[in-house]
Amino acid sequence: MAAPTIEPEAESGTAPAPGSTRGGLGDKLSRLLYARPKLRLTALLTLPLAWLGVLYIGSLILLFITAFWTTDTFTSKVIPAFTLENFIEILTVQAYQLTALRTIGIALAVTVLCAVLALPLGFYMAKVASPRMRAVLAIGITLPLWAGYLVKVFSWRITFMSGGPLDWLLAPLGMTGPGYGTTALVITLAYLWFPYMAVPVYSAFRQIPDNLFDASSDLGAKAWSTVRTVAIPLLKPAFIAGSIFTFSLSLGDYIAAQFVGGKTQVIGTVIASNINLNPPLAAAFGTVPIVVVVLYLFLARKSGALKQL
Amino acid sequence: MRLSSSAKVTLRVFAGLVMAAIYLPLLLVILNSFNATTSGAFPITEFTTRWWEAAFHNEGVREALWTSLRVATVATVIALLLGSMIAFALSRYDFFGKNTVNLLVVLPIALPGIVTGVALNNTFKTVLEPLGIGLGLFSVIVGHATFCIVMVFNNVQARLGRMNKGLEEAAMDMGANVVKTFFHVTFPGFRSAFVAGGLLAFALSFDEIVVTTFTAPPGTETLPIWIFNNMARPNQAPVVNVIAAVLIIVSMIPVYLSQRMTGDDKK
């Protein structure tokens, strides 16, 4: 091997470790790291795990512990003394029960609305539209994701305003918009999270081979029964994957509720209004969305849809 | 699938309606920012650029924007570092608890924002405040970085999985040390995913409101918090409207850039 003099280490082509014939600090470090994969892994994971594992998970655990504490009713100071009072309160006081159920109901309604809209849209995009149209629509449904959360809430606040655009649009039909309230909230949330449902449904539609549809219609199925018996079962994982987002995002939302929900109270509103006055109660109520989301994820996992994520 | 032409037309009209429902409210915001009346009554009868001027000279908006930019920048830097480190650990090594670490990264965006917000609020107030680190700009950054990590992680991990490891081995066989290999071979390989992840993290932080409400002390306003505080105030609503219009236009730029960047790599 005729190695040039500038790079003498090139001669040791079979060197066990990189840079092993040099003596600089970087090379020493390099050799050390190269020889010890565990050291490299530790170096990579220490900082992120300190952040996520200690600070974040630690905070969640502390929150859970706080839920068993109590507050001084006069000073709002947290007193670390074990009690089940907060949990008993959220489970027995009717206002809390109703708020939890209402929020779950809203989250389900949002999910259903998103799914119902995503099905024909995904079908059109994947199987009917021209490639050009498909690309335009694909960007069209994802771009608003980044338009800003509050901006989108604000846009629906304007839309639903009394005497606003929706009322104006519906006036010739002799109708008025729903105004701020639960209906407006469901529509706004569906608008906010729609891309999370539309994208997986559309991609799943694309993966269904065209000849499955042809076979179905050759066998005499009408368009709708093809969709119902062929497409929907194949799309189930995509619907479930999308629903995880639409459901859990709606469950935790309370800002939209404040601006378009009128007097509608959701889990988040209760947590937010208690965080300074009664942190343990807020913490206890904060476990409700966690439990619901975990249950939902568990059900989704059982259906096998999570592997597709 | 053989569809009747009326079915095709129906589907096309439906897709058009969905697009209209997506973009009309956003257009409305832009249009309404020129509405001379403060009541937001429709249709708009008189147009003005007064609110745009008012928004431009608004001290509160400027301060909030500056706060947002600082928070998003620092949170993005932290997310880039931590997100890439985890991406490397998970895509290059097999170890016990790998799935748990993966779950750990995703958890801050899988759980409702309010839970993350309340948990961090609680920690800062009960544990860190006695140690001298109360709620402040720092706690906002901590909160943001926590949920931004996953953005970088997702992008970088996906890229690392597709990268040719043989290139790195070749570089080392040629005598480059680990550091040199990283900067000359590995990093250029995932740079665009790194940048795209950073842009997404920045956009996410810039837009975030829920975690921010709980980690910001009174008086510290990011732009979304400023909007939140002023949206329901009738005399500030027109200025909020202008800011919203600007955000609609500006926020789509990083996404466009990031899509182009990841798009280019696929070619």
Side-chain angles (χ1 to χ4, degrees):
Chain A
M1 195 187 277
T5 45
I6 327 142
E7 288 277 51
E9 64 270 27
E11 269 186 283
S12 53
T14 54
S20 57
T21 51
R22 279 204 210 137
L25 188 67
D27 292 324
K28 270 187 191 150
L29 187 72
S30 177
R31 253 171 315 203
L32 189 75
L33 285 174
Y34 188 84
R36 292 180 180 76
K38 274 200 182 143
L39 187 71
R40 273 180 287 163
L41 185 62
T42 314
L44 280 174
L45 279 178
T46 307
L47 211 53
L49 284 188
W51 190 291
L52 291 170
V54 180
L55 184 70
Y56 183 60
I57 297 297
S59 295
L60 289 179
I61 292 170
L62 188 66
L63 181 73
F64 190 65
I65 295 171
T66 311
F68 293 98
W69 290 351
T70 180
T71 38
D72 187 318
T73 35
F74 290 106
T75 59
S76 286
K77 247 185 124 73
V78 178
I79 304 164
F82 181 83
T83 171
L84 284 171
E85 222 174 274
N86 302 308
F87 285 98
I88 292 169
E89 197 175 337
I90 60 166
L91 287 174
T92 54
V93 175
Q94 209 192 8
Y96 292 132
Q97 290 173 343
L98 283 177
T99 303
L101 288 177
R102 187 186 306 122
T103 313
I104 295 169
I106 289 172
L108 286 175
V110 169
T111 303
V112 170
L113 185 57
C114 286
V116 166
L117 292 173
L119 180 71
L121 183 70
F123 179 60
Y124 174 72
M125 286 169 69
K127 299 295 171 200
V128 184
S130 65
R132 206 186 136 77
M133 185 53 126
R134 182 184 299 153
V136 169
L137 289 174
I139 294 174
I141 52 175
T142 49
L143 200 58
L145 264 184
W146 304 98
Y149 168 86
L150 273 178
V151 169
K152 282 180 282 187
V153 172
F154 182 70
S155 74
W156 283 94
R157 189 177 158 83
I158 297 180
T159 308
F160 285 122
M161 191 179 278
S162 76
L166 194 65
D167 283 351
W168 173 75
L169 196 72
L170 294 173
L173 305 170
M175 300 195 293
T176 53
Y180 300 144
T182 311
T183 312
L185 179 59
V186 170
I187 293 173
T188 306
L189 289 173
Y191 178 79
L192 286 167
W193 317 133
F194 180 64
Y196 293 98
M197 179 67 86
V199 171
V201 169
Y202 157 65
S203 354
F205 247 127
R206 286 212 68 182
Q207 282 165 11
I208 302 176
D210 286 347
N211 52 25
L212 272 185
F213 290 110
D214 293 337
S216 170
S217 57
D218 285 348
L219 293 170
K222 295 255 167 57
W224 171 241
S225 44
T226 302
V227 168
R228 200 167 45 86
T229 55
V230 178
I232 291 182
L234 287 169
L235 295 173
K236 208 175 134 201
F239 278 120
I240 293 172
S243 75
I244 291 168
F245 289 95
T246 56
F247 182 79
S248 74
L249 288 169
S250 305
L251 201 65
D253 191 280
Y254 74 102
I255 308 261
Q258 280 186 15
F259 288 110
V260 298
K263 291 197 173 77
T264 308
Q265 288 260 330
V266 292
I267 293 176
T269 352
V270 174
I271 298 175
S273 56
N274 276 301
I275 185 73
N276 289 318
L277 297 172
N278 193 347
L281 186 73
F285 213 47
T287 57
V288 175
I290 300 182
V291 169
V292 176
V293 167
V294 167
L295 256 167
Y296 197 85
L297 283 174
F298 179 75
L299 288 175
R301 210 173 100 127
K302 261 180 91 177
S303 73
L306 286 188
K307 286 185 198 114
Q308 314 244 340
L309 277 182
Chain B
M1 185 154 111
R2 273 154 270 163
L3 279 175
S4 64
S5 57
S6 67
K8 278 188 187 167
V9 171
T10 313
L11 281 171
R12 191 170 303 140
V13 170
F14 178 81
L17 284 176
V18 171
M19 284 298 128
I22 291 177
Y23 286 97
L24 279 183
L26 297 178
L27 270 176
L28 208 59
V29 172
I30 297 174
L31 202 65
N32 202 43
S33 68
F34 297 102
N35 192 344
T37 65
T38 52
S39 69
F42 211 79
I44 301 170
T45 47
E46 200 186 328
F47 289 86
T48 177
T49 53
R50 186 154 54 107
W51 311 125
W52 282 77
E53 279 168 47
F56 187 77
H57 295 292
N58 190 308
E59 267 311 304
V61 173
R62 288 189 182 194
E63 256 174 58
L65 180 65
W66 176 230
T67 308
S68 269
L69 289 175
R70 277 186 298 170
V71 168
T73 307
V74 182
T76 302
V77 170
I78 296 171
L80 281 172
L81 188 73
L82 298 183
S84 307
M85 284 165 94
I86 305 175
F88 262 90
L90 289 187
S91 57
R92 294 287 167 89
Y93 301 91
D94 265 320
F95 56 92
F96 178 74
K98 200 171 165 174
N99 286 333
T100 314
V101 175
N102 204 336
L103 182 72
L104 201 57
V105 187
V106 186
L107 205 58
I109 55 158
L111 284 183
I114 192 163
V115 174
T116 304
V118 171
L120 289 174
N121 174 290
N122 187 38
T123 302
F124 270 96
K125 272 198 194 153
T126 55
V127 182
L128 295 174
E129 198 164 75
L131 300 173
I133 317 166
L135 293 181
L137 208 56
F138 177 72
S139 57
V140 179
I141 292 169
V142 167
H144 283 211
T146 303
F147 60 74
C148 282
I149 293 173
V150 65
M151 291 319 225
V152 178
F153 167 79
N154 273 345
N155 274 272
V156 174
Q157 197 203 24
R159 179 64 51 84
L160 287 177
R162 291 202 304 267
M163 263 168 67
N164 183 356
K165 270 187 78 180
L167 286 177
E168 286 168 37
E169 276 161 26
M172 293 201 208
D173 286 345
M174 302 285 210
N177 64 32
V178 173
V179 179
K180 220 174 180 178
T181 308
F182 179 82
F183 283 106
H184 287 272
V185 179
T186 318
F187 185 68
F190 75 92
R191 185 167 45 206
S192 57
F194 183 80
V195 175
L199 282 171
L200 292 179
F202 191 92
L204 192 66
S205 161
F206 197 77
D207 187 37
E208 214 284 336
I209 168 102
V210 177
V211 175
T212 321
T213 351
F214 291 104
T215 48
T220 300
E221 284 185 331
T222 60
L223 199 56
I225 297 272
W226 184 89
I227 297 175
F228 177 82
N229 289 340
N230 289 282
M231 207 194 288
R233 291 181 190 160
N235 58 333
Q236 289 280 28
V239 176
V240 172
N241 200 322
V242 173
I243 304 302
V246 173
L247 285 179
I248 289 173
I249 299 158
V250 172
S251 62
M252 303 217 177
I253 293 173
V255 184
Y256 175 72
L257 286 177
S258 121
Q259 274 186 348
R260 260 196 60 171
M261 225 166 285
T262 38
D264 282 350
D265 289 340
K266 282 175 198 149
K267 277 172 201 161

